[in-house]
Amino acid sequence: MLRALAVDDERPSLEELVYLLNADPRIGSAEGAGDATEALRRMNRALQSGPHGPEAIDVVFLDINMPGLDGLDLARLLTGFARPPLIVFVTAHDDFAVQAFDLKAVDYVLKPVRRERLAEAVRRAAELRGPQHQATPRIPVHEPDPDQIPVELGGVTRFVAVDDITHVEAQGDYARLHTAKGSHLVRIPVSTLEDRWRSRGFVRIHRRHLVALRHIGELRLDAGTVSVVVGTEELQVSRRHARELRDLLMRRP
């Protein structure tokens, strides 16, 4: 049974989140804090109580946009604890995902919070707090279907066909998948996707970009620089990859 702390400066959102958490059978207790200062006081009591004490906290459900010390700052402080709690971000903003997962967040739930989506975050936290994970909590990695890759959109997990992906952009330890309809951020390094999708016609053209050969519309040469046109975007090709790319395009049926 998980012991949870919810942190949100908006009282209605906090009360709803605590209510939903207490309704989950995997949550033994859930309480709320209205700001980062109150949350730190509560976590200090948890630290003094010890991992199995009556005041212990296993997982913190944390809003990001708060006055004063925001959720990201609070998460950085919590990671310095001897036994840090698991972190689940619960926010109305989808543009902090990279920073959140850099802080080893278990999940990133978008508001308005749906019961089913929150239950998935609780499930992930419960798995990580199991006996086999207590020593070194880590982010779960989901192996995708060979023809699809799971992405999150508006708090819902959807599946994008690999054949629809035009190119992949490296963003640290994450990758942004581009399709004709938009883009999606996933917690997989581009180097992993390069190895996984090489047989599907994806080729590295730059340290930042992996491109599907079938989606390249043009190869451009201009004053010694090489670039490719993929959809409406023009992407630079590094010198070390230019020859291989030209050879592959020449052999393309």
Side-chain angles (χ1 to χ4, degrees):
M1 301 288 280
L2 293 172
R3 294 155 296 186
L5 175 66
V7 187
D8 197 317
D9 65 307
E10 297 180 355
R11 181 58 55 178
S13 296
L14 179 61
E15 291 176 351
E16 179 184 15
L17 182 54
V18 170
Y19 171 78
L20 291 174
L21 288 171
N22 278 316
D24 192 301
R26 291 161 296 196
I27 299 292
S29 64
E31 55 190 284
D35 57 31
T37 301
E38 184 181 352
L40 280 174
R41 285 199 295 264
R42 178 62 185 86
M43 289 306 305
N44 280 328
R45 295 206 311 271
L47 185 63
Q48 294 169 7
S49 178
H52 304 294
E55 298 283 349
I57 295 293
D58 298 304
V59 56
V60 178
F61 292 81
L62 184 56
D63 188 22
I64 289 181
N65 189 16
M66 296 188 295
L69 200 67
D70 67 22
L72 294 171
D73 292 331
L74 177 56
R76 292 186 185 97
L77 291 175
L78 294 179
T79 58
F81 278 40
R83 184 179 184 268
L86 300 174
I87 300 292
V88 174
F89 285 99
V90 182
T91 177
H93 305 279
D94 62 359
D95 49 353
F96 294 104
V98 171
Q99 297 98 306
F101 290 118
D102 278 342
L103 292 168
K104 302 297 187 289
V106 173
D107 209 340
Y108 192 91
V109 179
L110 291 176
K111 295 180 181 179
V113 177
R114 296 182 302 107
R115 186 186 298 268
E116 298 82 2
R117 183 64 185 85
L118 184 63
E120 170 63 16
V122 172
R123 182 193 66 77
R124 294 181 182 181
E127 287 182 353
L128 290 175
R129 269 295 179 249
Q132 69 273 31
H133 294 294
Q134 285 183 359
T136 55
R138 61 182 178 85
I139 299 173
V141 177
H142 299 279
E143 290 297 327
D145 179 279
D147 297 318
Q148 296 180 318
I149 184 167
V151 301
E152 285 207 3
L153 183 62
V156 178
T157 299
R158 303 182 186 278
F159 293 88
V160 173
V162 174
D163 287 346
D164 290 340
I165 297 170
T166 59
H167 62 288
V168 181
E169 181 182 0
Q171 294 189 350
D173 291 331
Y174 310 92
R176 184 166 294 279
L177 312 178
H178 292 266
T179 71
K181 296 181 179 179
S183 68
H184 311 278
L185 191 68
V186 296
R187 288 177 283 170
I188 305 175
V190 167
S191 58
T192 298
L193 295 178
E194 180 182 9
D195 293 337
R196 185 180 294 171
W197 291 346
R198 184 175 290 111
S199 63
R200 303 184 69 98
F202 282 81
V203 60
R204 196 69 169 260
I205 64 167
H206 191 275
R207 62 182 179 83
R208 290 193 58 202
H209 290 115
L210 183 68
V211 173
L213 289 173
R214 61 184 166 277
H215 288 292
I216 295 178
E218 296 180 22
L219 177 68
R220 295 179 177 176
L221 304 175
D222 182 18
T225 63
V226 181
S227 62
V228 292
V229 176
V230 181
T232 59
E233 294 192 52
E234 183 174 354
L235 306 175
Q236 183 180 356
V237 181
S238 66
R239 290 188 177 184
R240 62 175 294 202
H241 295 294
R243 181 181 295 277
E244 178 189 7
L245 177 63
R246 286 198 297 265
D247 291 343
L248 289 171
L249 288 175
M250 290 294 292
R251 297 198 302 267
R252 185 175 66 173

